[in-house]
Amino acid sequence: MQTRLSKILLVACAALFATLVVFNNVTDYDSNFEFVRHVLSMDTTFPDNNGMWRRIESPLLHHFAYVFIILTEFAIALLGWIAVWRMWRTRADAVAFRQAKVPAVWSLSIGILLWFGGFIAVGGEWFLMWQSDTWNAQEAAARFTIIYTMILIYLVQEDN
């Protein structure tokens, strides 16, 4: 039972984190939007780099990308809270608990896809975010990716 409770609490922490990220991105839209705008515009990368043809300068596309990020974070949070509720309700039954973990697997996987695939791969390498001293979130995205991956690995282990 203690392992199941531990998994519930860790998924709750991941869901809480995603919830707070959504809250911050919605309530402080403009300053967080600036991050997306600068990364996509590539305006703080190395001057005259050969990758500038990749930049996106359309404000409409900047907003679209940012709203997509927020909606993805919302999905991560929502799936996480659904999983917490289901896991809590089924904590006494191993078979039911295993099924209740499915939304958590999706929540954590989508989080990994967003922060590793979206921020590290696309933002970091395609839009050369790594070249920016100011608008570089690779370290934070790596932290989120590692935490979500560790919880996911622990979550899918068999329960006693």
Side-chain angles (χ1 to χ4, degrees), residues 82-147:
I82 289 169
V84 167
W85 174 247
R86 289 182 181 177
M87 291 163 61
W88 177 257
R89 285 189 7 223
T90 61
R91 68 191 180 281
D93 179 347
V95 174
F97 187 79
R98 190 176 316 116
Q99 289 298 325
K101 294 189 293 186
V102 170
V105 169
W106 280 109
S107 172
L108 295 164
S109 296
I110 293 168
I112 295 165
L113 289 170
L114 175 64
W115 289 301
F116 177 57
F119 282 75
I120 295 173
V122 175
E125 290 303 318
W126 183 256
F127 290 106
L128 305 175
M129 180 173 58
W130 66 270
Q131 293 183 2
S132 177
D133 291 329
T134 309
W135 301 101
N136 186 345
Q138 288 193 109
E139 286 184 28
R143 262 192 325 272
F144 308 155
T145 300
I146 291 166
I147 292 167

